[in-house]
Structures are given as structure tokens and as C-alpha cells.
Amino acid sequence: MASKSSGTHAHVSHAPLELRRRPRRLRRSAAMRALVRETRLSPDNFVYPLFVRGGEGLRGEVGSMPGVYQLSVDEAVREAAAARADGVQGVLLFGLPDEKDIVGSSAYDPEAPVQTAVRAIKREVPDLLVVTDVCLCEYTSHGHCGIIVDDEIANDPTVEQLARAALSHAAAGADVVAPSDMMDGRIGRIREALDEAGFAQVAIMSYAAKYCSAFYGPFRDAAGSAPAFGDRRSHQMDPANVEEAMREVELDLEEGADIVMVKPALAYLDVISRVKAAFGVPTAAYQVSGEYAMIKAAARNGWIEEPRAMMETLTSIRRAGADIIISYYAREAARVLA
Ligand code: PBG
């Protein structure tokens, strides 16, 4: 740029630079940029989360997540079919049970919303992959991820409950179960329970490196799973740690995880990158509710261009090394890419 300019008639003079390398050559046109683009996003990468409740014909928007709904099973089937039509490969189901108790027993009720939705989606949209979230926080009256003994989440009894929930999802026809609880040893126990019951073909996507994050806030609205007291620091990971994430992933792979997940995504791109580089296994990343809500809120204020921010963040997650991206933007992004 000229250092002194007057209006539009700035006189620019310079001696030609003798540059042998001019990186800008590769950015001059859309065609050139497309040729040299390193990271490709595809609808094949996306998994779309759905919140399923009881009742019929119900579709209630989540206040903190515009465009995301709590759906009765019939509406969830409709949404799943629409996602498939957009090119999305899988849905991830969360349940809003009618009943909660202190041990989360509705998590393994075969007639609960998730189990019913799995059967209905596999019947109506058979080529769509159905993944189920396995955790107790949506099912316990206190909103914690496990059974409370002496004011602590008791690991081993909780793992038994999780195995029951995973089994009920597999029995309903889930292709993949995704434990998000962060209890110790749950992958091994779930694998064993599935194999014993004849579900050796059901895959496990482990929320292996799940951080204790502020970005889950809107989800707890959507799933009604905010803890009634305390927090989740005794089991979810400290945001400051990455070596620990590597150990968590290693353990889950040893125990039989087929896919490992890092969650949230945007604040943990370095973790995604290290996990993918070190283990080379199918790696998922979850663009969580707060990441979605931030973009939505800024866009609604006219402060950010939503489609660009959506694609830029999704691309960054893919560039970091994620093979699978779980995102509330899955349908919208798939339509942009179509
Ligand atoms: C636990 C679970 C949570 C999310 C996915 N599974 C909430 C939590 O750990 O508190 C968060 C997902 C999101 O924020 O989008 N069942």
C-alpha cells in the first residue's frame, strides 16, 4: 500500500520486487483456490444430534439453541429423514424421559423415547446410521451422570447402569452406542455386555476426551440435565490437560472403543490434532451446544455472518484431524455443500 495517499489518485511508485516465490499466485481465483485446497468438508463427515421426547406431533424449539428442537418420536423420524435427504450419514439421539429417579432407571426402559425412536428411525430411514448417547444425567432426578453414594458419583455401580442402557439401545437396533459419562472402565464393560448379548456388531464411539466445559450450557437446557447441585469436575476432564486426554484415549481403545471423540471441538483443536496424529483411529469431534449458540447469537445480532462462521469452524475441526463432526449445524452445512 502507498504510504501517502490523497483521495483516489494516490501516486504509487516502487521498484519491482524481485521475489522468486509469490504465494498469492495460488489464491487469485476461485478455481485456483479449489485446486490447492487442503481440507475438504463433506456431508459424509456429519452426525446430527436429536433430542427425543414422549408424546406425538411435538416440536418445541430450545430457547438457547434456535433451530434445535425437542421432538416427539414421530417428529424425530421426520427430522432424521430430512437429515438423510440432506446427505447427513448419522443421527445421535438424546432422550428426555417422562420419569426420572435417583438411579436413572428410565435410561434402559425399552419403551422410553430413545429406544422407541431408534426402532422407528431404523424402520423408516434404514440407511441412516443411528448413534445413541449413553449417560445417566438426563435420567437421574438430581441430574448427575451416575449413582450418588456419600455425595460422590460411585463409579462401578454407575458403569453397570450404563451397560444396561447401552444394551437396551443395541436391542432397539442402534448401530453405535456413544458413552458420554466419563466413568472409568465403562467402555470395557459395555463391550463385554454387548458381546455377551449377541451385539458384537454394534460399534462404540467413546466420548474419550470429554472436558468439563462451560460450552455445554445450552445442552443442559435442551436435555433438562443440569446437575441440581455441584458440577461435573469429578469425572469430566480439566480443560488445561492434553497428556491426560492421550491417556484417556489410549485406555478407551484398549477397552474396545471403535471411534474416539474429543469434546468440545473449537477450544480443543490441539487435542483433536494430537489424538488423530498419535492413534490414527477414526476420530470424532463434537461442536457442542455452546459453540452453536455463540454463532447463532452473534449472527442474530448482525455481528457475524452465520454461513461463513459455520463453515469456517467446521472446516477448522476437520483440518485439525476429525473424521466425524457431530454438529447441530449438520443439516445446514450439508445443504451448503450439496
Ligand atoms: C451428557 C452429555 C452432555 C453433552 C453431550 N452428552 C452434557 C454434559 O456433559 O453436561 C453436551 C453436548 C452439547 O453441549 O451439545 N449426556
XYZ file of all heavy atoms in Angstrom, residues 41-89:
362
model
N -14.552 -30.626 3.307
C -15.679 -30.975 4.170
C -16.696 -31.667 3.294
O -16.896 -31.265 2.144
C -16.340 -29.711 4.693
C -16.052 -29.168 6.066
C -17.007 -28.001 6.306
C -16.208 -30.202 7.148
N -17.346 -32.669 3.855
C -18.376 -33.354 3.093
C -19.515 -33.688 4.049
O -19.286 -33.905 5.247
C -17.777 -34.629 2.496
O -18.767 -35.613 2.332
N -20.741 -33.770 3.518
C -21.846 -34.219 4.380
C -21.537 -35.583 5.006
O -22.062 -35.910 6.068
C -23.037 -34.308 3.419
C -22.706 -33.371 2.313
C -21.217 -33.400 2.171
N -20.668 -36.362 4.349
C -20.277 -37.668 4.902
C -19.627 -37.541 6.276
O -19.571 -38.514 7.026
C -19.261 -38.372 3.985
C -19.895 -38.895 2.719
O -21.142 -38.892 2.630
O -19.154 -39.309 1.812
N -19.103 -36.378 6.597
C -18.436 -36.194 7.880
C -19.407 -35.961 9.040
O -19.000 -36.012 10.198
C -17.495 -34.974 7.842
C -16.428 -35.074 6.786
O -16.319 -34.208 5.920
N -15.642 -36.129 6.823
N -20.675 -35.664 8.717
C -21.550 -35.115 9.758
C -22.455 -36.123 10.454
O -23.019 -37.009 9.826
C -22.455 -34.023 9.182
C -21.705 -32.858 8.600
C -22.170 -32.223 7.457
C -20.545 -32.387 9.198
C -21.498 -31.139 6.919
C -19.859 -31.302 8.663
C -20.332 -30.683 7.516
N -22.578 -35.899 11.752
C -23.595 -36.586 12.548
C -24.449 -35.498 13.204
O -23.924 -34.497 13.702
C -22.950 -37.499 13.619
C -23.996 -38.005 14.611
C -22.235 -38.677 12.967
N -25.761 -35.711 13.186
C -26.712 -34.680 13.591
C -27.410 -35.090 14.899
O -28.090 -36.118 14.940
C -27.722 -34.543 12.449
C -28.772 -33.493 12.578
C -28.449 -32.185 12.912
C -30.110 -33.797 12.319
C -29.440 -31.214 12.994
C -31.100 -32.833 12.392
C -30.750 -31.543 12.736
O -31.727 -30.589 12.812
N -27.233 -34.317 15.968
C -27.863 -34.672 17.247
C -29.363 -34.339 17.266
O -29.776 -33.307 16.738
C -27.141 -33.776 18.276
C -26.026 -33.098 17.542
C -26.389 -33.102 16.097
N -30.144 -35.232 17.878
C -31.589 -35.009 18.028
C -31.997 -35.239 19.481
O -31.510 -36.178 20.123
C -32.377 -35.993 17.147
C -32.214 -35.917 15.629
C -33.057 -37.023 14.970
C -32.647 -34.549 15.103
N -32.894 -34.401 19.971
C -33.435 -34.551 21.324
C -34.846 -35.131 21.209
O -35.722 -34.514 20.617
C -33.477 -33.196 22.032
C -32.107 -32.602 22.210
C -31.625 -31.636 21.338
C -31.283 -33.042 23.240
C -30.346 -31.110 21.490
C -30.006 -32.527 23.399
C -29.531 -31.557 22.526
N -35.015 -36.325 21.787
C -36.271 -37.045 21.608
C -37.060 -37.121 22.911
O -36.512 -37.468 23.958
C -36.008 -38.483 21.099
C -37.323 -39.123 20.670
C -35.029 -38.484 19.949
N -38.354 -36.819 22.817
C -39.230 -36.854 23.983
C -40.450 -37.707 23.697
O -40.612 -38.213 22.577
C -39.653 -35.437 24.358
C -40.209 -34.610 23.183
C -41.011 -33.441 23.666
N -42.144 -33.953 24.446
C -42.917 -33.209 25.237
N -42.693 -31.920 25.341
N -43.916 -33.753 25.895
N -41.301 -37.876 24.701
C -42.547 -38.625 24.511
C -43.585 -37.781 23.788
O -43.313 -36.651 23.373
N -44.789 -38.353 23.658
C -45.890 -37.619 23.022
C -45.896 -37.779 21.518
O -45.164 -38.600 20.969
N -46.732 -36.967 20.879
C -46.881 -37.054 19.426
C -47.057 -35.677 18.838
O -47.687 -34.804 19.449
C -48.122 -37.896 19.107
C -47.829 -39.055 18.170
C -49.111 -39.673 17.659
O -49.703 -40.460 18.411
O -49.509 -39.358 16.510
N -46.494 -35.466 17.683
C -46.681 -34.201 16.973
C -46.047 -33.018 17.693
O -46.451 -31.881 17.493
N -45.056 -33.283 18.525
C -44.461 -32.205 19.320
C -43.098 -31.809 18.774
O -42.259 -32.656 18.451
C -44.321 -32.630 20.781
C -45.634 -32.987 21.481
C -45.366 -33.535 22.873
C -46.549 -31.760 21.549
N -42.876 -30.490 18.709
C -41.643 -29.947 18.170
C -41.439 -28.598 18.854
O -41.949 -27.576 18.429
C -41.835 -29.816 16.641
C -40.817 -29.020 15.879
C -41.131 -29.043 14.381
N -40.613 -30.249 13.758
C -39.359 -30.352 13.281
N -38.540 -29.346 13.316
N -38.957 -31.477 12.759
N -40.726 -28.632 19.982
C -40.558 -27.404 20.768
C -39.136 -26.882 20.620
O -38.174 -27.594 20.892
N -39.026 -25.640 20.194
C -37.690 -25.085 19.970
C -36.976 -24.837 21.308
O -37.596 -24.413 22.282
C -37.787 -23.772 19.170
C -36.442 -23.340 18.579
C -36.595 -22.239 17.536
O -37.575 -21.464 17.616
O -35.719 -22.145 16.640
N -35.675 -25.104 21.337
C -34.880 -24.877 22.545
C -34.474 -23.397 22.570
O -33.867 -22.912 21.612
C -33.618 -25.777 22.534
C -32.757 -25.519 23.767
C -34.018 -27.240 22.443
N -34.825 -22.707 23.643
C -34.630 -21.259 23.687
C -33.212 -20.809 23.368
O -32.998 -19.869 22.594
N -32.237 -21.497 23.938
C -30.851 -21.078 23.758
C -30.205 -21.663 22.505
O -29.030 -21.418 22.232
C -30.034 -21.496 24.990
O -30.275 -22.857 25.262
N -30.991 -22.452 21.749
C -30.456 -23.070 20.527
C -31.449 -22.933 19.383
O -32.090 -23.908 18.980
C -30.144 -24.553 20.769
C -29.126 -24.776 21.873
S -28.882 -26.536 22.216
C -27.915 -27.030 20.786
N -31.578 -21.736 18.824
C -32.534 -21.550 17.735
C -32.278 -22.554 16.606
O -31.126 -22.789 16.243
C -32.243 -20.118 17.244
C -31.542 -19.440 18.376
C -30.802 -20.513 19.123
N -33.348 -23.164 16.111
C -33.194 -24.163 15.043
C -33.025 -25.575 15.573
O -32.947 -26.523 14.787
N -32.959 -25.728 16.912
C -32.853 -27.058 17.514
C -34.135 -27.302 18.312
O -34.621 -26.398 19.000
C -31.616 -27.160 18.426
C -31.579 -28.491 19.171
C -30.340 -26.985 17.603
N -34.678 -28.523 18.210
C -35.991 -28.813 18.772
C -35.982 -30.040 19.665
O -35.204 -30.969 19.459
C -36.995 -29.052 17.627
C -37.113 -27.863 16.706
C -36.214 -27.700 15.644
C -38.066 -26.884 16.921
C -36.280 -26.590 14.816
C -38.145 -25.765 16.096
C -37.244 -25.623 15.050
O -37.314 -24.519 14.238
N -36.875 -30.023 20.653
C -37.194 -31.248 21.383
C -38.328 -31.896 20.600
O -39.376 -31.288 20.411
C -37.646 -30.919 22.801
C -36.537 -30.259 23.622
C -36.985 -29.915 25.036
O -38.180 -29.763 25.295
N -36.034 -29.775 25.938
N -38.103 -33.139 20.154
C -39.011 -33.757 19.186
C -39.678 -34.997 19.766
O -39.005 -35.838 20.378
C -38.218 -34.189 17.947
C -37.377 -33.105 17.253
C -36.352 -33.755 16.317
C -38.289 -32.163 16.470
N -40.981 -35.131 19.536
C -41.603 -36.419 19.830
C -41.095 -37.409 18.786
O -40.528 -37.013 17.763
C -43.129 -36.303 19.805
O -43.556 -35.736 18.584
N -41.292 -38.701 19.051
C -40.678 -39.723 18.197
C -41.074 -39.555 16.721
O -40.219 -39.625 15.832
C -41.019 -41.143 18.712
C -40.590 -42.208 17.716
C -40.355 -41.375 20.066
N -42.356 -39.290 16.457
C -42.782 -39.140 15.055
C -42.058 -37.967 14.386
O -41.629 -38.049 13.233
C -44.306 -38.971 14.967
C -44.817 -37.812 15.825
O -44.273 -37.576 16.920
O -45.770 -37.122 15.405
N -41.880 -36.875 15.142
C -41.174 -35.711 14.587
C -39.675 -36.006 14.434
O -39.019 -35.505 13.518
C -41.376 -34.491 15.493
C -42.775 -33.901 15.423
C -43.094 -33.263 14.069
O -42.185 -32.709 13.433
O -44.267 -33.347 13.650
N -39.139 -36.801 15.336
C -37.719 -37.176 15.243
C -37.477 -37.997 13.975
O -36.461 -37.825 13.290
C -37.290 -37.955 16.480
N -38.427 -38.868 13.657
C -38.311 -39.674 12.434
C -38.318 -38.745 11.217
O -37.504 -38.880 10.296
C -39.457 -40.710 12.330
C -39.465 -41.379 10.972
C -39.340 -41.744 13.443
N -39.233 -37.766 11.239
C -39.315 -36.812 10.140
C -37.998 -36.036 9.987
O -37.483 -35.852 8.884
C -40.450 -35.837 10.462
C -41.033 -35.115 9.283
C -42.006 -34.070 9.801
N -43.129 -34.668 10.519
C -44.371 -34.692 10.043
N -44.645 -34.156 8.890
N -45.344 -35.245 10.729
N -37.449 -35.601 11.117
C -36.198 -34.831 11.108
C -35.029 -35.700 10.623
O -34.154 -35.252 9.883
C -35.927 -34.294 12.523
C -34.797 -33.295 12.637
C -35.105 -31.926 12.017
O -36.290 -31.588 11.851
O -34.121 -31.213 11.702
N -35.038 -36.963 11.048
C -33.974 -37.893 10.634
C -34.040 -38.115 9.121
O -33.006 -38.134 8.437
C -34.117 -39.219 11.385
N -35.248 -38.275 8.595
C -35.404 -38.490 7.153
C -34.938 -37.253 6.383
O -34.282 -37.357 5.335
C -36.863 -38.810 6.827
N -35.249 -36.075 6.924
C -34.828 -34.828 6.264
C -33.300 -34.706 6.293
O -32.677 -34.276 5.315
C -35.477 -33.634 6.951
N -32.693 -35.105 7.407
C -31.231 -35.058 7.509
C -30.610 -36.005 6.479
O -29.633 -35.662 5.802
C -30.781 -35.436 8.919
N -31.199 -37.182 6.353
C -30.706 -38.159 5.363
C -30.807 -37.561 3.958
O -29.888 -37.670 3.147
C -31.523 -39.457 5.444
C -30.975 -40.557 4.558
C -29.700 -41.123 5.146
N -28.912 -41.850 4.172
C -27.820 -41.357 3.569
N -27.411 -40.121 3.810
N -27.131 -42.094 2.736
N -31.933 -36.904 3.697
C -32.138 -36.301 2.375
C -31.110 -35.196 2.122
O -30.713 -34.944 0.981
C -33.559 -35.751 2.258
N -30.668 -34.544 3.173
C -29.634 -33.507 3.030
C -28.234 -34.114 2.844
O -27.270 -33.385 2.620
C -29.600 -32.612 4.278
C -30.813 -31.686 4.363
O -31.406 -31.378 3.310
O -31.152 -31.271 5.490
N -28.112 -35.424 3.029
C -26.818 -36.074 2.829
C -26.085 -36.441 4.104
O -24.978 -36.970 4.072
N -26.717 -36.164 5.249
C -26.097 -36.484 6.543
C -26.116 -38.005 6.737
O -27.087 -38.668 6.388
C -26.868 -35.773 7.683
C -26.397 -36.243 9.050
C -26.725 -34.258 7.541
N -25.029 -38.559 7.309
C -24.924 -40.022 7.427
C -25.483 -40.603 8.722
O -25.816 -41.780 8.776
C -23.453 -40.459 7.321
C -22.811 -40.159 5.997
C -23.343 -41.023 4.869
O -24.282 -41.800 5.032
N -22.761 -40.880 3.705
